[in-house]
């Protein structure tokens, strides 16, 4: 961006750089997995550093993404094209029933602009925070089958053979 010197940089940053937390469900049963994705949306030249990872009290957590790899894409929101970066993607398993909160993630950002009048570089620092998300966790029914082992959800298993005819001695 090369805005004029009269540009309101805070407003420009607010409209073109933000972080969102997305979950695949907000209501689940105790032990039922939830996928939470923390994603940065940007239309600006910036560098970001996570300064506060979200607290995930009441959940067991498994990281889904390899943080050493880039997870970038392009998305359109309200007619505007944004570059996106997945900062963290988690599989969360609620360990207690009730209202659980996925806390905010905070990023410190440095955005660089070039003044269209002078050609000077202008650096603006901005703290970004995602919004906390509340997940409603329902308890399991009180009467569970005797063979219940803790798995919650709908499971389907299917098998297909590459070759339905097997010869003697063939693995």
């Amino acid at each position: 961006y090369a805005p004029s010197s009269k540009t309101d940089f805070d407003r420009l940053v607010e409209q073109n750089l933000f972080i969102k937390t997305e979950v695949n469900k907000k209501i689940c049963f105790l032990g039922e997995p939830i996928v939470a994705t923390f994603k940065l949306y940007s239309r600006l030249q910036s560098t970001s550093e996570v300064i506060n990872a979200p607290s995930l009290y009441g959940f067991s957590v498994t990281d889904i993404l390899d943080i050493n790899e880039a997870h970038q894409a392009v998305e359109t929101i309200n007619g505007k094209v944004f570059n996106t970066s997945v900062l963290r993607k988690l599989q969360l398993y609620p360990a207690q029933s009730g209202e659980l909160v996925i806390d905010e993630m905070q990023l410190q950002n440095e955005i660089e602009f070039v003044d269209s009048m002078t050609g000077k570089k202008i650096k603006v620092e901005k703290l970004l925070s995602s919004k906390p998300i509340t997940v409603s966790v329902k308890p399991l029914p009180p009467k569970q089958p005797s063979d219940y082992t803790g798995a919650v959800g709908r499971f389907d298993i299917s098998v297909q053979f590459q070759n339905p005819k097997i010869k003697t001695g063939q693995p």
Side-chain angles (χ1 to χ4, degrees):
Y1 274 96
S4 70
S5 57
K6 295 180 183 178
T7 301
D8 179 355
F9 288 108
D10 286 335
R11 195 169 131 236
L12 184 64
V13 170
E14 186 177 301
Q15 293 173 350
N16 294 290
L17 183 68
F18 56 91
I19 182 174
K20 260 172 60 171
T21 304
E22 300 168 346
V23 292
N24 67 332
K25 60 185 97 169
K26 290 188 177 182
I27 300 172
C28 65
F29 282 99
L30 182 68
E32 185 178 4
I34 299 167
V35 176
T37 306
F38 297 87
K39 197 182 290 187
L40 178 66
Y41 291 79
S42 179
R43 300 182 71 211
L44 303 172
Q45 181 67 38
S46 67
T47 56
S48 304
E49 179 183 354
V50 175
I51 60 167
N52 188 16
S55 298
L56 300 162
Y57 300 112
F59 294 100
S60 294
V61 181
T62 302
D63 275 293
I64 295 176
L65 296 179
D66 181 354
I67 60 170
N68 297 318
E69 294 176 10
H71 302 280
Q72 298 176 334
V74 175
E75 289 183 32
T76 302
I77 300 174
N78 297 327
K80 292 182 178 179
V81 177
F82 287 86
N83 292 315
T84 64
S85 296
V86 175
L87 304 169
R88 197 164 181 204
K89 190 169 186 176
L90 307 169
Q91 183 103 20
L92 305 174
Y93 298 91
Q96 62 192 48
S97 58
E99 301 292 313
L100 299 181
V101 177
I102 300 169
D103 286 336
E104 65 186 18
M105 176 182 274
Q106 292 183 325
L107 297 178
Q108 182 63 43
N109 292 272
E110 186 176 277
I111 304 101
E112 189 174 284
F113 297 98
V114 177
D115 189 314
S116 61
M117 301 296 274
T118 64
K120 284 182 168 179
K121 290 185 179 182
I122 301 167
K123 291 188 180 187
V124 175
E125 290 198 10
K126 180 79 172 175
L127 178 68
L128 296 179
S129 296
S130 62
K131 292 180 182 169
I133 293 185
T134 301
V135 176
S136 180
V137 181
K138 298 186 275 187
L140 294 174
K143 293 185 180 181
Q144 298 163 357
S146 60
D147 60 347
Y148 176 71
T149 60
V152 177
R154 171 170 275 167
F155 304 95
D156 293 315
I157 298 174
S158 64
V159 177
Q160 287 185 315
F161 294 103
Q162 287 180 343
N163 186 354
K165 295 181 181 181
I166 300 173
K167 296 178 183 174
T168 305
Q170 183 180 3

